[in-house]
Amino acid sequence: MSSSSSSSPGSTTVIVGLNGALQKRFVLGGNANLVPGNVHRAAQIQTGIGGKGQDVAISLACLDFPDMQLAQFVGSGPEGDTVLQLLKDRIGGEAATALSLRTKSPMRTCTTIVASDESTELVEPSGIVTDEEKEEFLEQLKSSCGSPIAAICIMGSMPPGLPEDMYASMYETMAAASSSSTAPLCVIDSVVGLDTMLSAIAKTKGPAILKINASELCKLAGVAKSSSEAGGIALDELVEAVDTFMEKYSAVLDGLALTDGKHPAHLVSFTDDDGSRDIYKITVPSLDPTAVLYPIGAGDSVAAGTLGAWKSLVEQGDEKKKSLSDKIHAALDSRLQSSAAEIMSSSEHTKRMEAAFAFGLSCGSASCLEEDNSVFAVDRVLKLFQEIPPPELVSSKKN
């Protein structure tokens, strides 16, 4: 947990997305539904970019977020060529290629079958990354980190062949490239190699938020959830999962950003190294129930919006490092000023995390209204953001 997160650490943001894919959308069209065992003919085939880190980069590009680079393995073959070109078109050539390594294994293809009532995801396994490719990638990362690293976003799973401590190794390399006084901000949306990753962050005392689904948190903490994964988590289950989790990790993390689908999200702010914490409920923006929704990649947009807003709030007052537009800054400032009394008495750091997470949730909701993964209109994000009521303190623990 960092006590210095109000300073401005650097300039470049690195998004780690090691497990990208070519994304195909098999659209059935009309009122057709997917029936196992039947023959289905597509009304339309759409091709795009898959992968959690790739989705974050695309969402940040929607926010005109500057100075970002995507660290990724790109498989061989025409699928890999297509993904890389699509990324160049979406986020820019430098951002897409500076930290990319082509592998001998082919690029995987993931397919979404879009029916009238729901979408079904078919996920191919990734090709193996060789030891030589891993070492080349880490060396490329080290040599490319010439400017200070301001923020890091670590997303999703890893392709086979990589060690469990890969994310930890990458974090240590990038943190070493940060300024001498301040470690980079870090948003994590992955449970792969979590122990080693958080140990690496603990050494730097860098500010870090773990964004995680409430059901995933329950699994990590060994807490039984009474409803299905699609059902909202009960408050007593949430508190038990948080307190079990924080016995191990509270001194490392600044907060947990807990999503729960269409149900309310929760921000857990670890207020001290002694295990004290506050849990705030944040209402998820409501969408038109008659609208066709495209939820794939929405969680990645939440991560992107949270990281972008958090970094921008930390940098306030430094015009040279401002990451988001004046219009977005004005909305974030309004959120900080209008928060409920119970969070107004909290630290500035907690208020920034809450405003950033609420903005991220607005990005996620807005992305559900666009066919392409993790794409949204900024004006729509701001409208949804302004509709979110102030957070509600639902549980507090002081030690």
Side-chain angles (χ1 to χ4, degrees):
M1 183 183 298
S2 170
S3 60
S4 59
S5 53
S6 60
S7 57
S8 300
S11 56
T12 302
T13 296
V14 177
I15 302 115
V16 180
L18 302 186
N19 214 9
L22 178 66
Q23 184 76 42
K24 284 193 174 182
R25 299 177 75 247
F26 186 100
V27 183
L28 296 181
N31 296 317
N33 294 324
L34 178 65
V35 180
N38 282 10
V39 174
H40 297 85
R41 291 179 173 82
Q44 193 177 163
I45 295 289
Q46 300 169 347
T47 301
I49 303 162
K52 293 180 69 64
Q54 290 72 16
D55 284 347
V56 166
I58 290 167
S59 288
L60 287 175
C62 290
L63 297 171
D64 290 327
F65 190 85
D67 299 325
M68 67 169 169
Q69 295 181 342
L70 177 59
Q72 61 176 344
F73 292 103
V74 179
S76 62
E79 294 83 1
D81 295 341
T82 298
V83 167
L84 202 53
Q85 186 57 55
L86 288 171
L87 281 168
K88 290 177 183 178
D89 295 340
R90 284 282 193 184
I91 68 174
E94 176 70 15
T97 61
L99 297 179
S100 294
L101 181 73
R102 299 298 298 265
T103 62
K104 294 178 181 178
S105 296
M107 193 80 189
R108 65 175 177 153
T109 299
C110 295
T111 303
T112 303
I113 303 174
V114 182
S116 64
D117 59 343
E118 61 184 359
S119 295
T120 301
E121 192 77 5
L122 305 178
V123 180
E124 291 185 7
S126 295
I128 295 174
V129 176
T130 66
D131 288 341
E132 292 78 12
E133 289 167 340
K134 182 204 76 172
E135 293 302 326
E136 183 180 351
F137 181 79
L138 289 174
E139 187 57 39
Q140 176 178 291
L141 180 66
K142 184 177 180 179
S143 62
S144 297
C145 290
S147 60
I149 304 298
I152 301 168
C153 192
I154 298 175
M155 297 296 298
S157 59
M158 293 188 287
L162 296 177
E164 189 173 296
D165 65 352
M166 182 69 176
Y167 287 147
S169 298
M170 293 182 69
Y171 177 87
E172 289 169 347
T173 298
M174 290 184 283
S178 184
S179 67
S180 57
S181 59
T182 311
L185 300 174
C186 187
V187 170
I188 305 161
D189 190 350
S190 175
V191 297
V192 178
L194 190 61
D195 285 2
T196 57
M197 189 178 0
L198 294 182
S199 294
I201 293 171
K203 294 175 185 176
T204 68
K205 297 184 179 179
I209 294 174
L210 175 64
K211 177 198 161 288
I212 187 171
N213 181 276
S215 294
E216 289 181 311
L217 180 68
C218 286
K219 291 175 185 176
L220 276 181
V223 173
K225 190 168 174 278
S226 57
S227 65
S228 66
E229 188 164 336
I233 189 171
L235 180 58
D236 59 336
E237 295 167 351
L238 176 67
V239 170
E240 183 183 356
V242 167
D243 288 345
T244 301
F245 179 86
M246 68 188 291
E247 287 175 5
K248 189 172 185 180
Y249 297 122
S250 64
V252 178
L253 293 164
D254 289 68
L256 294 174
L258 303 175
T259 57
D260 199 10
K262 64 182 180 181
H263 305 285
H266 293 83
L267 174 74
V268 184
S269 175
F270 298 122
T271 56
D272 211 331
D273 290 347
D274 65 358
S276 298
R277 55 96 180 120
D278 292 326
I279 303 178
Y280 296 94
K281 182 172 76 172
I282 306 174
T283 301
V284 175
S286 58
L287 300 174
D288 181 355
T290 65
V292 178
L293 301 182
Y294 306 91
I296 294 174
D300 305 329
S301 292
V302 174
T306 301
L307 177 71
W310 192 27
K311 179 175 181 288
S312 206
L313 285 169
V314 166
E315 294 169 341
Q316 271 190 326
D318 190 339
E319 289 295 321
K320 293 181 180 179
K321 292 182 177 178
K322 190 166 64 174
S323 298
L324 298 178
S325 70
D326 290 339
K327 185 185 292 188
I328 294 174
H329 264 289
L332 291 169
D333 284 338
S334 178
R335 178 76 181 180
L336 291 174
Q337 298 303 319
S338 64
S339 292
E342 53 258 33
I343 195 170
M344 288 300 289
S345 62
S346 299
S347 68
E348 286 298 314
H349 186 45
T350 294
K351 288 188 279 187
R352 289 191 189 107
M353 287 196 298
E354 190 282 329
F357 186 32
F359 182 78
L361 291 168
S362 302
C363 293
S365 294
S367 76
C368 292
L369 299 171
E370 305 289 342
E371 286 192 35
D372 289 344
N373 291 8
S374 305
V375 171
F376 49 74
V378 173
D379 286 346
R380 182 173 280 156
V381 170
L382 290 173
K383 182 177 184 298
L384 294 172
F385 183 50
Q386 291 160 358
E387 293 173 359
I388 300 178
E392 177 187 350
L393 180 66
V394 295
S395 179
S396 184
K397 178 181 177 182
K398 307 299 181 186
N399 290 330

